[in-house]
Amino acid sequence: MIKKEEEKSDLKNGENDLTDKLGLPATKKLEELPERIDNSVVSLIPEEVARKHGLLFFNKKENTIQVAMLNPYDTDALNVIRFVAEKEDIEAEIYEVGQKIFTQMLNAYNTPSEMVKKAVVSFQSDNLFEEGDSKKEEKKVSKEEILRDAPVAKLVQVIISHAIEGHASDIHIEPTEKDYRVRYRVDGVLHISLVLPKEIGPVVISRIKIMANLKIDERRKPQDGRFNLKIDENKTKAENKNIPENKDIDFRVSTLPVLLGEKIVMRILEKDEDLINMNSLGLMGSSLKNLLTAIQETYGIILITGPTGSGKSTTLYAALKILNKEEKNIVTLEDPIEYNIGGLNQSQINPEIGYTFANGLRTILRQDPNIIMVGEIRDSETASLSIHAALTGHLVLSTLHTNTALGAITRMIDMGVETFLLASSLRMVIAQRLVRRICENCKEEIQVSDLIKSKIMEEIKDIPPEEIKKYEIEPGSELRFFKGKGCNKCNGLGLKGRIAVYEVIPITNPMKDIIFDKMGNESLLIQERNKERFVTMKQDGILKILKGKTTIEEVERVTEGSIRLLIDEE
């Protein structure tokens, strides 16, 4: 038995004896929310019992179960603990907690799995899914009030809250043969979070459609919509001290008819200043300096390349945020608008009504803009109009889907842009990818083989020493490597969050000559890049490895190379 640290004078004998008679250990203090709450342990007693008696089973360690109590001397509550302890053949460890922490701990009853159970019970009791019900479809489609008030509405709220708390970028809800699965995309990787019964899935999707102002009875064709939530609306169901209050979050919703029903994807667009802050993106050294210089030009075009989901739009927004001044008229053409930034004139493309990037560009040139952001150059007409806008006194920022930075030049030429116009207008090309960060909570230094070290040195030998210093790495110092060993904060992955690796190439006069005279020959452009000793994406990634920001495996995943093969051979 653990002796009580503090005895209440009026209960010193009576209550203490009672605790001993019940065979329970002495009370400890729980000053803050536990790092881990085991939902399987929480479910040992119903929520109603927990609230009534002010107690919560929250964790299990070997043959001991941990219990939080508002009043550790409540005899009725102690009897409940004794009953559960005897039933589970386990000892109990009691922690006294304050009301605030206890209220937060009660949110464990509002996990998605618990809400699914409540939703199933509720709908079964309402006969909402009873076979042969002639009004089944009518109830599903027209009873918006049921969808708003029923447990399924709370279930949707909890699904969203847990995605936000887990820093997910997307929520996927999709039908399978037997059920619906909910997956979160965290740091670029999808994880199954929850499985919904077959009868609950369509109602959850209908609820989300209502929130996004979509037609809930239209299941034959795709739909797109969006909605906004304040974080306070979710905090009642999922307290998270790491999320600031009064924070707006936008959700972009897309539905898609699939073989087994209808799939829905929600993109989470957090209005976080840090998400679109140039300093937090991963731009370092001369790459950052060169980009900041290029965006101060009065005219010309800057192109950012990379696959879908590589963070191109976020980099563009970060640049626009710097340029967003009272004296500048900034107009954007986007599909879709991902972040709503005050001071920008943001226009949503709608090809269904003929409002394309090309048509939008023609229109906004009559809006007296200083800076134009074109979400993506997809066709020759948009490419040609963007170049002409850049040559007529406008700074144009846009993106292309190419694998390399210099590949953007050949892609523009392939789209029919005249080489002399491209050479005159192009200011900079950028390529980027996203890699996962090492978890700062469990980061530790690791040893790698001399073979890998020599390979790393070979990759960075051409980087000027002064450039390496800009990454806060001392040239010639011993190479250090890090890895996350896994902890609760990163769910055992050793990786948490993402950072971008960049290749930023200002267009020099020799490059302009290659574009004009040699039709943008990529091999000649690469030679010129190497001659200028611009940092490549691979080199940028390696320097971030040495800074302890990411791992060799992550950089090798998004760039070409053979270092990971050496690791696999060890």
Side-chain angles (χ1 to χ4, degrees):
M1 291 285 181
I2 301 173
K3 197 170 184 179
K4 289 186 178 65
E5 295 176 0
E6 294 182 6
E7 300 287 357
K8 294 188 177 181
S9 58
D10 56 338
L11 295 169
K12 183 178 290 186
N13 296 320
E15 301 292 2
N16 205 26
D17 291 343
L18 177 62
T19 308
D20 291 338
K21 288 176 183 177
L22 290 171
L24 298 174
T27 306
K28 298 179 181 179
K29 289 280 188 180
L30 191 62
E31 302 289 351
E32 58 184 25
L33 196 66
E35 283 191 11
R36 182 175 183 270
I37 297 180
D38 188 335
N39 291 321
S40 63
V41 175
V42 172
S43 62
L44 287 173
I45 60 172
E47 182 179 359
E48 295 75 16
V49 174
R51 290 183 180 276
K52 178 181 178 181
H53 295 290
L55 64 89
L56 184 99
F57 295 86
F58 66 91
N59 202 7
K60 182 179 179 181
K61 290 185 177 180
E62 298 178 352
N63 198 41
T64 302
I65 196 165
Q66 296 175 325
V67 190
M69 295 185 70
L70 285 174
N71 179 8
Y73 307 107
D74 184 331
T75 55
D76 290 336
L78 289 171
N79 281 328
V80 172
I81 296 172
R82 179 180 62 179
F83 175 79
V84 173
E86 290 177 352
K87 180 182 176 183
E88 299 292 325
D89 191 22
I90 198 169
E91 294 186 6
E93 186 176 32
I94 298 176
Y95 290 81
E96 183 179 0
V97 297
Q99 183 64 56
K100 183 177 180 180
I101 295 176
F102 184 75
T103 302
Q104 291 176 329
M105 293 177 73
L106 282 174
N107 289 316
Y109 282 103
N110 291 315
T111 60
S113 58
E114 290 295 320
M115 296 307 300
V116 168
K117 293 176 185 177
K118 293 179 183 178
V120 171
V121 171
S122 173
F123 287 118
Q124 285 176 344
S125 65
D126 290 341
N127 294 319
L128 201 62
F129 301 109
E130 185 178 344
E131 291 297 326
D133 186 353
S134 62
K135 296 184 179 180
K136 176 181 175 182
E137 285 300 318
E138 180 184 345
K139 287 185 179 181
K140 278 189 181 181
V141 172
S142 64
K143 287 220 170 183
E144 180 178 333
E145 189 173 343
I146 288 179
L147 290 173
R148 185 185 299 115
D149 298 334
V152 73
K154 297 178 182 177
L155 172 60
V156 170
Q157 192 175 21
V158 171
I159 288 172
I160 290 173
S161 297
H162 279 253
I164 295 168
E165 291 173 18
H167 303 287
S169 60
D170 301 86
I171 304 171
H172 292 239
I173 304 175
E174 52 204 355
T176 64
E177 288 188 1
K178 296 181 179 180
D179 46 43
Y180 277 70
R181 64 178 180 179
V182 179
R183 295 191 290 171
Y184 295 156
R185 187 179 294 281
V186 181
D187 296 337
V189 180
L190 280 170
H191 303 278
I192 292 180
S193 169
L194 181 66
V195 175
L196 303 175
K198 196 72 173 178
E199 65 268 24
I200 293 293
V203 188
V204 168
I205 287 176
S206 293
R207 167 64 184 167
I208 295 169
K209 282 183 173 181
I210 289 171
M211 296 169 71
N213 199 27
L214 301 177
K215 297 178 181 178
I216 62 175
D217 57 343
E218 178 57 79
R219 302 180 182 87
R220 299 168 300 171
K221 65 180 183 180
Q223 297 185 75
D224 293 303
R226 62 193 303 150
F227 63 91
N228 173 274
L229 288 179
K230 286 187 179 295
I231 197 64
D232 285 351
E233 296 178 28
N234 294 317
K235 289 188 76 173
T236 58
K237 294 297 171 191
E239 291 286 340
N240 188 335
K241 59 188 177 184
N242 295 322
I243 299 178
E245 297 184 7
N246 301 317
K247 178 179 177 183
D248 279 342
I249 298 180
D250 284 332
F251 295 83
R252 196 176 76 213
V253 180
S254 173
T255 71
L256 179 71
V258 293
L259 179 63
L260 298 172
E262 190 174 23
K263 173 177 177 175
I264 198 162
V265 175
M266 290 184 282
R267 168 65 59 88
I268 301 172
L269 304 170
E270 296 190 40
K271 297 180 180 180
D272 192 329
E273 293 296 313
D274 290 336
L275 292 176
I276 48 177
N277 189 305
M278 192 72 79
N279 294 325
S280 65
L281 295 178
L283 276 162
M284 298 179 180
S286 295
S287 296
L288 175 59
K289 180 182 177 182
N290 290 335
L291 177 56
L292 293 176
T293 300
I295 63 175
Q296 298 301 329
E297 296 283 351
T298 55
Y299 73 95
I301 185 167
I302 298 171
L303 297 175
I304 303 181
T305 71
T308 301
S310 59
K312 302 185 299 295
S313 296
T314 304
T315 301
L316 283 180
Y317 280 117
L320 291 177
K321 186 178 173 185
I322 294 173
L323 296 170
N324 191 10
K325 308 292 183 184
E326 183 180 346
E327 63 271 15
K328 300 285 186 182
N329 178 22
I330 303 175
V331 185
T332 75
L333 292 172
E334 304 175 59
D335 185 23
I337 297 173
E338 294 196 4
Y339 299 99
N340 180 17
I341 301 177
L344 303 188
N345 301 288
Q346 297 174 264
S347 184
Q348 168 73 54
I349 292 301
N350 190 348
E352 291 183 2
I353 61 172
Y355 185 42
T356 63
F357 280 113
N359 291 338
L361 260 173
R362 290 192 185 92
T363 301
I364 65 175
L365 286 173
R366 296 192 288 271
Q367 291 284 316
D368 187 31
N370 299 105
I371 299 164
I372 301 170
M373 191 268 266
V374 180
E376 182 184 344
I377 295 177
R378 298 174 178 171
D379 53 64
S380 58
E381 188 176 14
T382 306
S384 178
L385 287 168
S386 298
I387 293 296
H388 281 286
L391 287 171
T392 53
H394 307 91
L395 179 65
V396 180
L397 295 86
S398 190
T399 70
L400 275 175
H401 284 282
T402 62
N403 291 326
T404 63
L406 294 172
I409 294 172
T410 53
R411 176 65 58 84
M412 293 290 281
I413 294 173
D414 290 342
M415 285 183 176
V417 176
E418 296 288 349
T419 55
F420 72 94
L421 294 177
L422 185 60
S424 301
S425 61
L426 191 59
R427 290 283 180 264
M428 175 175 285
V429 286
I430 302 168
Q432 71 176 85
R433 301 289 190 277
L434 293 176
V435 295
R436 289 181 288 179
R437 290 176 180 263
I438 297 173
C439 175
E440 292 294 333
N441 188 58
C442 61
K443 183 166 73 174
E444 61 180 4
E445 190 169 353
I446 60 171
Q447 298 299 318
V448 302
S449 67
D450 291 338
L451 184 60
I452 292 176
K453 287 182 179 179
S454 65
K455 183 69 175 176
I456 291 288
M457 288 300 298
E458 180 69 21
E459 292 282 355
I460 63 174
K461 67 178 182 180
D462 294 327
I463 303 178
E466 58 271 20
E467 182 65 28
I468 294 176
K469 282 186 177 180
K470 292 176 182 178
Y471 283 74
E472 298 178 357
I473 300 172
E474 193 61 36
S477 61
E478 182 181 355
L479 301 182
R480 300 177 67 195
F481 300 86
F482 300 86
K483 194 172 186 178
K485 62 181 179 180
C487 64
N488 289 335
K489 290 190 176 180
C490 62
N491 296 319
L493 298 175
L495 300 163
K496 185 176 177 63
R498 289 191 289 180
I499 190 172
V501 290
Y502 286 93
E503 180 170 315
V504 178
I505 304 178
I507 302 302
T508 62
N509 287 329
M511 287 182 178
K512 292 179 183 289
D513 293 338
I514 294 171
I515 295 171
F516 180 62
D517 297 330
K518 306 294 183 182
M519 294 294 291
N521 185 293
E522 192 166 349
S523 60
L524 293 176
L525 288 169
I526 290 172
Q527 290 178 22
E528 184 60 31
R529 177 200 68 187
N530 295 340
K531 180 181 176 183
E532 293 287 342
R533 301 173 83 179
F534 293 132
V535 175
T536 67
M537 189 188 300
K538 182 70 170 288
Q539 291 171 336
D540 182 60
I542 288 174
L543 291 175
K544 283 167 181 162
I545 291 170
L546 300 179
K547 277 182 66 67
K549 297 292 185 182
T550 188
T551 65
I552 295 173
E553 292 87 348
E554 279 296 298
V555 173
E556 290 291 291
R557 180 174 61 84
V558 300
T559 62
E560 296 179 1
S562 58
I563 301 175
R564 187 172 183 178
L565 296 178
L566 298 177
I567 296 174
D568 294 337
E569 289 172 3
E570 291 184 344

